[in-house]
Structure formats: C-alpha cells, structure tokens
Amino acid sequence: MSHISELVVLSCLIMICYRKFNLIFNLKETFNKQQDETFMRLALEEAGLAFAENEVPVGAILVDQNGEVLAKTHNQRESAADPTAHAEILALRIGAIRRHEWRLEDATLYVTKEPCVMCAGAMINSRLKRVVFGCKDIKGGAANSLYHILSDPRMNHRVEVTAGIFEDEGRKILQDFFIARRSLKNQKKRL
C-alpha cells in the first residue's frame, strides 16, 4: 500500500470512529436530558406538596448513579421550625442515612430552584457528584447566579452543575406562592 492509500484508509477510520463516538455521545446526552426531565418532574411534584403545606415551594430528589431514588422531599422550614430544613439539606440527610455513608460521590440532586449558600456548602461537604436545578435565584443563588461556590477551584470538592431544566415551571410555582402569600397578607391587613 502506498503512503497516500494508508493516509486515506487512516482518515476513513478516524471519520468512522468520530461518527460512532459522536453518535454515542449524542445518545448519552439525550438519555441524560430525558433522565433529568423525569427526575425534575418529581422534584416539581414535591414543590407542589410544599406549596400545599404553606412552605416555600422547592422540591428535591436525590438519585444514585443507577437511577434509584434515595430521597424525595421539599422545604419544611415552617412545619419543622428549622431554618436548615431546605429541600436540598433534607434530601442529602435522608440519602446519607439511607446509605449509611455521608459521601454521596455518585449521586445527583435535582432541585427546582438554584441552591443557596448553605445548601451549596452541604453539597460540597457531602461530595455530591452533580446538581440539576430549575430556575435561578438571582438574590441568593450559590451555583451560578450570585455565587459560584459549587465550581470554585479553592474548594476541596466541586459539584457538576446543570441549570435550567423546567426553569419556567420552577419559577412559576414560586411566583404563584408569593403572590398568594402577599394576597393573604393584604386581606388580613384589611380585617
């Protein structure tokens, strides 16, 4: 075989490998997006439960690398009289207890709203692999709105962040909750 023929064969092999890799990568990306949407729907259901309990409607689902749900929960600050009872904290606690292990290195946390500083710190301390969130929190978001704690290279661990899954739905349930809360507050003032 001539040198030119070898180059042609080699370039064809490279193209074939590239296409297969690209196909596999795209299939994996599609699968991840479908999986992200499935678990974010569950998180939105949890947010709905929080709304019904007069809690700020944030829901969280903790999932292991096999897609097994380790925890399903929502904000419970009011009912628990606990300032740390954010959905994310509760999910991490339940997941760690369920596994008898504080390290959640293979787990993904799905949450309807961008985590706050406290929750981001807990994610780093639990060595969480990944967080997927819906809407941004421009006033207190610690993933990529106000702070970048989860990707800060000064931290001893970094958490992979995926943002914007069902962003509109997460934002809407929060807006509806605060509109209803203000309306109720105004009604009480008139009485």
Side-chain angles (χ1 to χ4, degrees), residues 162-178:
T162 302
I165 305 294
F166 292 130
E167 181 175 7
D168 294 338
E169 292 84 345
R171 184 183 310 107
K172 180 160 178 24
I173 194 168
L174 285 163
Q175 288 172 340
D176 290 349
F177 175 80
F178 286 110

Side-chain angles (χ1 to χ4, degrees), residues 50-136:
F51 192 121
E53 295 171 11
N54 203 30
E55 297 278 356
V56 174
V58 176
I61 307 294
L62 183 66
V63 180
D64 71 11
Q65 80 270 11
N66 299 317
E68 181 184 348
V69 175
L70 299 173
K72 285 174 52 171
T73 189
H74 54 272
N75 275 2
Q76 296 177 31
R77 290 190 327 166
E78 301 298 327
S79 59
D82 179 356
T84 68
H86 288 199
E88 301 96 311
I89 299 287
L90 296 173
L92 294 172
R93 282 181 187 156
I94 293 166
I97 290 167
R98 187 162 177 211
R99 287 181 136 188
H100 306 285
E101 170 68 56
W102 63 267
R103 288 179 188 87
L104 300 170
E105 297 165 322
D106 64 346
T108 299
L109 182 64
Y110 294 87
V111 61
T112 56
K113 180 174 138 303
E114 182 177 3
C116 69
V117 172
M118 174 182 68
C119 293
M123 290 174 199
I124 288 169
N125 285 321
S126 70
R127 307 299 190 265
L128 187 71
K129 178 181 182 181
R130 181 172 176 242
V131 64
V132 178
F133 71 85
C135 65
K136 291 185 177 190

Side-chain angles (χ1 to χ4, degrees), residues 35-52:
Q35 185 175 353
D36 288 350
E37 289 177 353
T38 297
F39 291 121
M40 190 59 79
R41 279 189 192 93
L42 293 176
L44 285 165
E45 287 176 16
E46 286 292 323
L49 293 174
F51 192 121

Side-chain angles (χ1 to χ4, degrees), residues 132-148:
V132 178
F133 71 85
C135 65
K136 291 185 177 190
D137 180 357
I138 58 171
K139 292 182 179 180
N144 65 12
S145 290
L146 188 59
Y147 303 104
H148 294 85

